[in-house]
Amino acid sequence: EAQVTQNPRYLITVTGKKLTVTCSQNMNHEYMSWYRQDPGLGLRQIYYSMNVEVTDKGDVPEGYKVSRKEKRNFPLILESPSPNQTSLYFCASRSLGHDSGNTIYFGEGSWLTVV
Amino acid sequence: KQEVTQIPAALSVPEGENLVLNCSFTDSAIYNLQWFRQDPGKGLTSLLLIQSSQREQTSGRLNASLDKSSGRSTLYIAASQPGDSATYLCAVSSGGSYIPTFGRGTSLIVHP
């Protein structure tokens, strides 16, 4: 079954304590991306990756890091979380080939609260 | 830069009505357009994907159309049910980059 898996799904952490949200996809997709979703602001892209070792900033990258060492994994790193990073986070992936329609797949979301 | 607008932002209708949700985009050089459904606090579920060469796609009671020249897509929901209550988002992928731009969604409530 095609899946994008995020962990943890729910997390409460304290300001300044480094955390990583993992994202893994089993579809051999080239493109992966992280979004945050806040009330009234919609989905905002944090970082994206077009392939292994290729990452780029989205619209709201400040305070976040990513890496793409393997094709299936795209972790989101908060080096020093702050309360304004409290949000619902989504990982997404898609194929960049022309054989699959290029459907975007989303993970279930990760609720992050920084106190 | 591509901009995507969804109107209305919110919609409340009685059960059984046929609905039209709108998605407008500014750059007509798109690769494809995808409609999603999101239940509160949940992930996004893909409903329909329309390639730039297509005019419409259908799945059950849902029909999505695409008019690139006018920069519009519509999602038609026939015979709405309370279970259709959710937020509906469209994502437009521009030709060449594959990076999707999302609208802010239409929040739909279908009451019995």
Side-chain angles (χ1 to χ4, degrees), chain B residues 17 29 36 38-39 41 50 70 80 86 103 107 111:
Chain B
E17 278 204 5
F36 292 88
Q38 184 180 25
D39 294 296
I50 310 178
S70 65
S80 59
S107 177
H111 49 87

Side-chain angles (χ1 to χ4, degrees), chain A residues 17-21 63-65 76-82 85 89 112 114:
Chain A
K17 184 177 181 181
K18 180 180 178 179
L19 69 93
T20 299
V21 186
Y64 305 95
K65 286 175 57 178
L76 178 69
I77 303 158
L78 286 73
E79 293 270 5
S80 183
S82 62
Q85 293 179 297
Y89 291 86
L112 172 64
V114 184

Side-chain angles (χ1 to χ4, degrees), chain A residues 17-72:
Chain A
K17 184 177 181 181
K18 180 180 178 179
L19 69 93
T20 299
V21 186
T22 63
C23 175
S24 181
Q25 48 93 5
N26 64 358
M27 297 165 279
N28 202 37
H29 285 170
E30 295 84 4
Y31 176 87
M32 297 185 74
S33 181
W34 276 102
Y35 297 86
R36 61 178 290 174
Q37 188 177 42
D38 303 286
L41 297 178
L43 278 170
R44 294 183 291 168
Q45 191 175 47
I46 303 171
Y47 270 94
Y48 64 94
S49 170
M50 302 295 272
N51 214 325
V52 175
E53 301 291 0
V54 181
T55 63
D56 212 342
K57 297 177 181 178
D59 298 317
V60 288
E62 295 78 19
Y64 305 95
K65 286 175 57 178
V66 293
S67 68
R68 187 89 182 274
K69 294 184 170 57
E70 303 166 288
K71 200 170 186 180
R72 64 182 293 122

Side-chain angles (χ1 to χ4, degrees), chain A residues 31 35 37 40-41 43 45 48 50 59 90 94 96 98 101-104 106-108 111, chain B residues 1 31-32 34 36 38 41-44 46 49 51 89 91 93 97-100 102 104:
Chain A
Y31 176 87
Y35 297 86
Q37 188 177 42
L41 297 178
L43 278 170
Q45 191 175 47
Y48 64 94
M50 302 295 272
D59 298 317
F90 288 105
R94 81 186 312 178
L96 298 183
H98 293 281
N102 305 115
T103 298
I104 304 166
F106 276 85
E108 288 290 302
W111 284 96
Chain B
K1 183 181 176 182
Y31 181 67
N32 62 29
Q34 193 167 352
F36 292 88
Q38 184 180 25
K42 303 291 187 182
L44 282 73
S46 180
L49 174 74
Q51 302 292 351
L89 296 97
S93 296
S97 75
Y98 301 101
I99 299 171
F102 285 84
R104 292 194 178 187

Side-chain angles (χ1 to χ4, degrees), chain B residues 73-104:
Chain B
S73 175
T74 59
L75 179 66
Y76 177 82
I77 304 176
S80 59
Q81 303 169 358
D84 294 329
S85 299
T87 296
Y88 292 81
L89 296 97
C90 69
V92 180
S93 296
S94 298
S97 75
Y98 301 101
I99 299 171
T101 301
F102 285 84
R104 292 194 178 187

